Amino acid sequence: MLLHPLRSLRTVTATTLTPTQQRALDELMAKGQDRPEFPVDLAPRLRDRLEEGLADVADRLGDGELVVTKRDLAQVHQCERLFMAGLGTFEWSPMAARGSVVHKALEISMGIGAVELPPGHLVDLAIDRLAEAERGVAEFLAHADPVEQAELRIAATDMVSKFVDEFPPLKTRWRPRVESSLSAHLCEGRVLLRGKVDLALGQPVGTTARVLIVDFKTGRPVSAHTDDLRFYALLETLRVGVPPFRVASWYLDSGQSHPEDVTEELLLAAARRVVDGVRTLVELRVEKRSATWRPCSSCGFCPDRGQCDGALAWEELRAQRGLDV
Ligand code: SF4
């Protein structure tokens, strides 16, 4: 994801925007349009639904805390065996580090304020800053060879440049939050839902929804992106008591977006998906139930593809359907 350099503090007029930036302003932010009101008891009702649905599995967790991320939910709903195969296998790489660098570049761009810096310069500043951190991406940066460093700079600069081209400069009065963490403790802290949104804009007023949440993506749209954003909408609702009025995926390679207006039904569906996913996670991780497998678009990069019949089944399915994924 990426935000905008110092242009965030400049006056924006219609003539300064690219047509895609203007489209983002008109279609995503829906300037001047009425915002929805939500019942004041919506968040407590959602929390009750979640905790009722998880009460028995929370008891089975004992004193342990189960941390659940959007990635966990996406994988366990897609293919249980994929989820189990991916546990503990994360490794830093230029592509894995790209998101951290881009987010930091955006934070810097919003913080510097006075001078407009080119995307490549922002990326360099971001990498320098992240290298000083104590863990996470800093370790990768410390050991990356020159080729990996170059790949990281190129990939991050590409994303920052596209963001600047496509998204309107962020105004401080929009209250932009970059890589903003959201969490919800459920069942007396035994289940922790956690997420991090690329960009949140706006502020609720009373029970009027006035927040827009955007996730920036590369590649093509997939249904999991919609589920991720609904999960964020649920966490934001539990946090502040009012949902975002809209969530959207923004595809940087095409300059297209997939927005979805948030409704109570959408949040209830998101809560049901969380309950189903967490129950499955507990069965797999705590109770050691055997994982099922399901051929899917993740088969191509699944750590278990060499030993799983699902990978072959997916290849056959692709061939039948003429898919190129
Ligand atoms: S290869 Fe496909 S079906 Fe098999 S575990 Fe991986 S994602 Fe699931």
Side-chain angles (χ1 to χ4, degrees), residues 172-189:
T172 50
R173 70 168 184 273
W174 294 349
R175 290 177 36 120
R177 292 177 273 139
V178 179
E179 205 175 27
S180 181
S181 296
L182 297 172
S183 64
H185 294 266
L186 302 173
C187 305
E188 298 174 333

Side-chain angles (χ1 to χ4, degrees), residues 79 81-82 293-296 298-299 302-305 308-311:
C79 171
R81 184 167 168 177
L82 166 69
W293 53 264
R294 187 169 64 169
C296 61
S298 294
C299 287
C302 172
D304 261 8
R305 63 187 178 280
C308 178
D309 291 343

Side-chain angles (χ1 to χ4, degrees), residues 7 18 50 95 115 136 151 164 170 172 210 241 279 281 316:
R7 292 162 63 179
T18 67
L50 288 162
M95 282 303 108
V115 194
E151 287 174 343
V164 172
L170 299 175
T172 50
R210 301 186 65 84
R279 295 185 71 86
L281 287 170
E316 289 170 356

Side-chain angles (χ1 to χ4, degrees), residues 3-9 104-113 115 122:
L3 289 202
H4 220 236
L6 328 215
R7 292 162 63 179
S8 54
L9 300 182
K104 180 56 74 177
L106 297 182
E107 284 175 22
I108 292 171
S109 77
M110 289 192 293
I112 288 179
V115 194
L122 283 167

Side-chain angles (χ1 to χ4, degrees), residues 217-233:
K217 305 287 188 187
T218 53
R220 70 182 69 204
V222 297
S223 61
H225 296 166
T226 303
D227 292 326
D228 290 348
L229 284 159
R230 292 177 176 185
F231 179 60
Y232 291 153

